[in-house]
Amino acid sequence: MTIKYEKTIGLEVHVRIKSATKMFCSCKNAVALAWEPNINICPICSGFPGMLPALNEEVVRLGLIGGMMMWCEVNQISNFDRKSYYYPDSPNAFQITQLYNPIVGKWSVKALVNGEEKEFWIHHMHLENDAWKLTHVWSKTLIDFNRAGSPLMEIVTDPVFTNEEDAVEFLREVQKLMRAAWVSDADMDKGQMRCDVNLSIRPEGQEEFWMRTEHKNVNSFWAVTRVIKSEYKRQLKIIEAWGEIDQETRWWDDDTGTSTSQRTKENAMDYRYFPEPDLLPLELSDEFIEEAKKSLVELPIDRRIRYLNDHKLQEDDARLLTADYELSNYFEKLFEITKDAKKSCSYITTILLALIKDSEDEIKITDLKFQPEEIATVINLVNKDELSSTNSKLVIEELFNNGWNADEIVDAKNLRQKNDTAALETIVDEVIANNTKQVVDYKWWNENIFWFFVWQCMKASRGQWNPKLFNEILKKKLG
Ligand code: ZN
Ligand code: MN
């Protein structure tokens, strides 16, 4: 009999808060925009002795909004602690963080995993400052202080994940909600969201956890998946050979897909946490919390579920629309006017997104040359059969390239289909009278010739009328 093992995963996610200035000084917090190293720096964030930190209120507000996007316990009084460590990425050999009393306590994040709604519990969320950035070049190390003192939220989950799909869907949801609330751009490529992966295994059914390992700063969803798979295999191999797992920090090399031990428990850092002497307890007033609540928006996951249940959109479409909050805002606006969820969705996902993708400039949905109202007009015309769906694409292309307004484009390009039944019937009658031979053919042998009549009618109307209507009238008259 083989013993079955299960894996348990806990995540620590660092998310960079996009405040205008850094956490404890008035330097610009524009890490992504800094065009050269060491331009957004001052004595505070460079760790000069005797410099006093001053907590940035915007950081607190944004951090709080990030936490409150889901139901959570807000700690109206929280504290900062000093975490001492001697690694060359910290100017003052410590980090200011919140260990004992973080700003946000228990919290949960909802996610859809393979169509199933799941809820994952977060142990707490705290605020802390980022370290500086080291770049190793040959035998030298270059130091960039631009990032030093940037504000971070650290989201620490309970060991609630049992597989990589759950973990990644959770991370995607965190990323989306941070973006939706304008708390962070959470771009993993740019280091705005980084993830530590803790993993342990145990025999199925056993309550007690075995030793866990930690992989620090895993920086893509794909890497998280790979780390979990590879670390599970590694631990399983050791356990099956009756070995024991060392509690250690491991380093993941994404190029080779392997991990190596960085430090074990014996030489683990002693952080010597103690209350930060230079900062007062952080006290949030009721007004401050109420004010922050005004910035909360509907969760991307709730939108996605609503699109599936209320609008009956396809799984893929609902996911695509809510992957980018601005895109789903656009859909919301369009739907509000058209009340046609399916068409609103398909005009965005198949036509607009294709145009955006094909265009040479980097265009966002928020900087199109026309308002959603114009697409609504197009959809409306299509629904009234005044514009064919093929031609509707042309209209949107024109809007996309040159702006202007849908109604005028339709007329300027002569695309409006006329639907005046009496006039259509006259044309049909004429076509039938002028093609008696074909009428006989159609009735006796060749039903395919039907399209000849449709074509004749379209030709007689110079393409201005709706082929669908001709189709109907012809069917009736030819019997
Ligand atoms: Zn500074
Ligand atoms: Mn941290």
Side-chain angles (χ1 to χ4, degrees):
M1 191 191 95
T2 47
I3 304 170
K4 273 196 162 172
Y5 294 93
E6 63 177 11
K7 49 184 181 275
T8 314
I9 303 141
L11 301 173
E12 287 162 41
V13 192
H14 288 93
V15 178
R16 178 173 299 138
I17 294 173
K18 60 171 174 183
S19 52
T21 54
K22 289 185 183 180
M23 192 156 176
F24 299 118
C25 61
S26 52
C27 289
K28 260 195 223 151
N29 176 35
V31 187
L33 297 173
W35 57 91
E36 60 180 89
N38 299 312
I39 50 169
N40 300 322
I41 65 173
C42 75
I44 295 176
C45 57
S46 315
F48 279 35
M51 287 293 131
L52 290 178
L55 183 60
N56 178 351
E57 191 180 293
E58 194 195 3
V59 168
V60 178
R61 195 173 56 81
L62 291 175
L64 189 61
I65 292 168
M68 288 194 304
M69 278 292 282
M70 295 230 46
W71 176 88
C72 76
E73 285 167 4
V74 173
N75 292 327
Q76 276 192 265
I77 299 178
S78 65
N79 297 91
F80 286 96
D81 301 292
R82 191 177 283 195
K83 175 185 181 180
S84 316
Y85 71 102
Y86 302 95
Y87 186 72
D89 71 350
S90 169
N92 32 17
F94 64 81
Q95 180 186 32
I96 300 179
T97 180
Q98 299 187 298
L99 178 72
Y100 302 107
N101 202 3
I103 182 168
V104 166
K106 248 193 162 3
W107 189 21
S108 83
V109 169
K110 210 182 335 175
L112 263 183
V113 188
N114 302 321
E116 191 192 332
E117 215 178 301
K118 294 188 177 178
E119 196 167 19
F120 301 108
W121 285 95
I122 285 168
H123 182 266
H124 76 270
M125 186 277 285
H126 66 256
L127 301 173
E128 62 183 30
N129 65 327
D130 209 346
W132 65 27
K133 192 181 160 199
L134 300 177
T135 312
H136 304 287
V137 187
W138 300 106
S139 59
K140 293 191 175 64
T141 297
L142 304 174
I143 296 169
D144 180 5
F145 277 93
N146 285 343
R147 210 180 68 178
S150 269
L152 300 173
M153 297 171 72
E154 181 171 340
I155 298 160
V156 180
T157 77
D158 286 319
V160 287
F161 309 98
T162 52
N163 61 64
E164 54 277 11
E165 285 94 350
D166 285 4
V168 168
E169 283 304 334
F170 162 82
L171 288 170
R172 283 190 198 283
E173 237 32 78
V174 168
Q175 182 181 56
K176 281 187 267 186
L177 73 87
M178 291 303 166
R179 288 175 176 173
W182 286 88
V183 168
S184 172
D185 292 333
D187 195 329
M188 292 186 90
D189 288 340
K190 294 181 182 145
Q192 294 160 347
M193 180 165 149
R194 317 193 287 263
C195 182
D196 302 343
V197 180
N198 294 285
L199 187 145
S200 67
I201 68 175
R202 60 180 170 183
E204 255 181 32
Q206 175 178 303
E207 206 140 309
E208 171 209 347
F209 292 107
W210 280 346
M211 281 301 174
R212 63 181 161 86
T213 61
E214 177 172 25
H215 285 77
K216 281 198 181 290
N217 292 328
V218 184
N219 52 18
S220 73
F221 295 134
W222 178 227
V224 170
T225 302
R226 294 176 78 201
V227 164
I228 293 172
K229 282 187 174 172
S230 120
E231 182 57 15
Y232 172 66
K233 262 197 212 151
R234 194 190 67 86
Q235 291 192 14
L236 196 61
K237 221 169 138 188
I238 295 171
I239 293 296
E240 284 180 337
W242 307 110
E244 257 177 55
I245 306 298
D246 284 332
Q247 184 180 353
E248 60 185 353
T249 302
R250 300 184 64 86
W251 181 74
W252 173 254
D253 182 347
D254 212 29
D255 294 331
T256 59
T258 53
S259 75
T260 40
S261 178
Q262 232 181 357
R263 56 173 187 259
T264 52
K265 203 186 177 187
E266 292 89 78
N267 50 37
M269 297 249 193
D270 175 10
Y271 292 123
R272 296 188 299 116
Y273 282 99
F274 61 92
E276 169 57 52
D278 292 338
L279 286 167
L280 289 168
L282 170 56
E283 214 177 321
L284 307 174
S285 67
D286 293 336
E287 298 80 57
F288 187 81
I289 295 174
E290 284 314 308
E291 193 56 39
K293 276 187 184 157
K294 289 184 190 156
S295 300
L296 301 181
V297 293
E298 185 183 19
L299 276 173
I301 189 67
D302 287 340
R303 273 199 177 166
R304 193 162 138 207
I305 292 167
R306 194 160 56 77
Y307 291 175
L308 291 171
N309 296 343
D310 298 358
H311 294 333
K312 309 284 176 223
L313 297 185
Q314 298 287 318
E315 190 76 57
D316 287 346
D317 287 335
R319 178 191 270 271
L320 182 64
L321 284 179
T322 53
D324 173 350
Y325 209 69
E326 292 300 337
L327 193 66
S328 71
N329 281 343
Y330 197 91
F331 170 79
E332 293 285 318
K333 260 187 229 153
L334 193 51
F335 173 73
E336 206 183 291
I337 316 168
T338 63
K339 306 286 177 221
D340 182 336
K342 292 227 161 95
K343 278 219 174 74
S344 298
C345 168
S346 75
Y347 273 81
I348 291 174
T349 55
T350 62
I351 304 178
L352 257 190
L353 287 187
L355 286 168
I356 288 175
K357 198 169 152 237
D358 290 343
S359 83
E360 278 163 24
D361 321 303
E362 217 180 285
I363 295 171
K364 283 196 230 117
I365 193 83
T366 40
D367 41 47
L368 294 177
K369 291 177 182 147
F370 58 95
Q371 297 299 312
E373 280 79 0
E374 302 309 320
I375 303 227
T377 304
V378 170
I379 292 175
N380 197 12
L381 288 174
V382 171
N383 280 344
K384 283 196 303 190
D385 268 332
E386 286 181 28
L387 181 67
S388 71
S389 62
T390 318
N391 286 338
S392 72
K393 257 189 193 167
L394 294 179
V395 178
I396 292 174
E397 250 175 57
E398 181 64 30
L399 283 167
F400 184 81
N401 293 326
N402 303 312
W404 206 20
N405 96 32
D407 257 319
E408 288 183 47
I409 294 171
V410 169
D411 287 329
K413 292 190 179 273
N414 226 342
L415 300 175
R416 200 176 296 272
Q417 294 176 144
K418 291 178 187 153
N419 297 313
D420 173 352
T421 329
L424 286 169
E425 291 207 11
T426 318
I427 292 179
V428 171
D429 288 340
E430 268 170 33
V431 166
I432 290 176
N434 291 338
N435 296 285
T436 44
K437 188 187 162 295
Q438 283 82 351
V439 173
V440 175
D441 275 0
Y442 172 76
K443 287 196 171 153
W444 292 97
W445 6 64
N446 190 2
E447 285 202 7
N448 291 334
I449 207 170
F450 182 75
W451 295 105
F452 161 82
F453 295 106
V454 178
W455 189 80
Q456 288 294 329
C457 291
M458 289 302 286
K459 192 177 147 196
S461 68
R462 285 190 219 93
Q464 284 184 26
W465 274 319
N466 187 343
K468 217 161 93 191
L469 287 178
F470 276 131
N471 204 324
E472 282 162 21
I473 299 167
L474 275 164
K475 280 229 167 97
K476 216 164 49 197
K477 296 220 172 197
L478 289 168

